[in-house]
Amino acid sequence: MPDYHDDLRLAHVLADAADAATMDRFKALDLKVETKPDMTPVSEADKAAEELIRGHLQRARPRDAILGEEYGVEGSGPRRWVIDPIDGTKNYVRGVPVWATLISLMVADGGGTSRSSEDESGGGFQPVMGVVSAPALNRRWWAAKGAGAFTGRSLTSATRMQVSQVERIADASFAFSSLSGWEAQGRLDGLLDLTRACWRTRGYGDFWPYMMVAEGSVDICAEPELSLWDMAATAIIVQEAGGRFTSLDGVDGPGGGNAAASNGPLHDELLGYLNQRY
């Protein structure tokens, strides 16, 4: 199995640089915010953080492709870095500390033949390394394929993560995002049935529920509509912590445009609820 430790070390360096840039502008009174064509916000900090990460990667990994939320895809080949400079921009611009920089490395299936990196769904690629850094929460999580998932201040000061052992939906803690996306897909009834069946529900949102699944403090979570940069890093972290990360139709990995994550034993039942009236 390939060793991605050097890539993981680089991702931590990238996250350190992004953290400094994003925290410098967090809660700034003069922060500039625009609305993108998809009606989602983007701040000057989103753009600056992605430009910073891209610049580092172009120097350190010039042969690798890069896909980022703000500036699209650059390059091609069997290795692709996937970046979400600020996951949780709506929180960021309102001063809510639940946001993070997501950095992942994806490699082409089949051992490294060159592939186009223009597919933003991640087709033909799988994540092998991911870092999620939430500086306003003073938290960071990471994983590399075959090496486990960890949380801590640094590579040398870390605690290994493991998903929970909960085996019944009635005992499960479920985290979800807003209701509107589920309603738009015709899945709201199933979602509500699931919330009634669970022990506890909370709407933490964005990257955080997936990290809590990996830590074992939440058992299941799901979102109805996501992009690859929202999921690539979180998927490998959940998987390396012993959990499952799939699309709502049960395909493993971050390529399905939506996500369901669990500790494993609850996964089929989670998908059953979210698809039961769809």
Side-chain angles (χ1 to χ4, degrees):
M1 180 180 295
D3 181 353
Y4 297 101
H5 187 71
D6 286 346
D7 295 307
L8 182 59
R9 289 179 56 134
L10 173 60
H12 275 271
V13 172
L14 299 175
D16 288 343
D19 286 355
T22 53
M23 285 299 293
D24 183 62
R25 299 300 291 156
F26 185 48
K27 295 188 178 181
L29 296 179
D30 61 344
L31 181 71
K32 297 178 181 178
V33 183
E34 303 171 358
T35 300
K36 294 190 287 189
D38 64 0
M39 301 307 293
T40 60
V42 58
S43 74
E44 63 181 91
D46 291 79
K47 294 180 178 180
E50 183 167 326
E51 289 172 349
L52 184 65
I53 294 170
R54 284 176 177 269
H56 277 284
L57 285 173
Q58 286 161 356
R59 292 188 294 273
R61 297 289 189 274
R63 296 183 180 181
D64 293 352
I66 305 171
L67 171 65
E69 179 176 8
E70 306 308 333
Y71 294 106
V73 67
E74 180 180 2
S76 61
R79 289 169 44 100
R80 173 170 64 176
W81 293 79
V82 180
I83 307 159
D84 190 343
I86 299 180
D87 183 53
T89 298
K90 292 178 182 177
N91 285 342
Y92 184 88
V93 301
R94 291 296 302 271
V96 178
V98 183
W99 50 271
T101 295
L102 279 52
I103 302 168
S104 63
L105 174 65
M106 302 184 74
V107 300
D109 296 340
T113 57
S114 180
R115 293 170 183 255
S116 169
S117 294
E118 296 179 0
D119 182 3
E120 295 187 3
S121 71
F125 288 80
Q126 291 296 328
V128 295
M129 182 281 300
V131 172
V132 172
S133 191
L137 296 176
N138 198 29
R139 295 294 310 275
R140 187 175 290 184
W141 304 261
W142 62 89
K145 187 174 182 179
F150 296 84
T151 184
R153 298 295 295 266
S154 68
L155 282 168
T156 57
S157 177
T159 301
R160 188 158 187 164
M161 295 190 292
Q162 187 69 35
V163 295
S164 74
Q165 301 300 310
V166 172
E167 296 184 346
R168 299 196 314 149
I169 286 291
D171 298 325
S173 178
F174 172 46
F176 62 96
S177 56
S178 62
L179 299 179
S180 58
W182 297 101
E183 185 173 30
Q185 290 192 7
R187 300 181 190 264
L188 182 59
D189 288 340
L191 176 77
L192 294 176
D193 286 347
L194 176 58
T195 65
R196 298 182 187 107
C198 288
W199 166 65
R200 190 169 189 257
T201 59
R202 288 293 184 271
Y204 300 108
D206 301 306
F207 68 94
W208 206 8
Y210 303 97
M211 299 303 94
M212 286 190 275
V213 168
E215 291 179 319
S217 53
V218 165
D219 309 299
I220 53 177
C221 67
E223 290 184 88
E225 186 175 4
L226 293 168
S227 297
L228 182 62
W229 45 76
D230 300 312
M231 297 183 283
T234 59
I236 185 67
I237 293 172
V238 169
Q239 291 166 344
E240 285 295 318
R244 285 193 67 191
F245 190 107
T246 74
S247 63
L248 295 179
D249 59 6
V251 177
D252 288 318
N258 46 47
S262 79
N263 65 350
L266 298 172
H267 204 83
D268 289 343
E269 196 167 358
L270 167 64
L271 295 179
Y273 273 102
L274 298 177
N275 290 303
Q276 67 178 354
R277 302 188 188 183
Y278 181 57

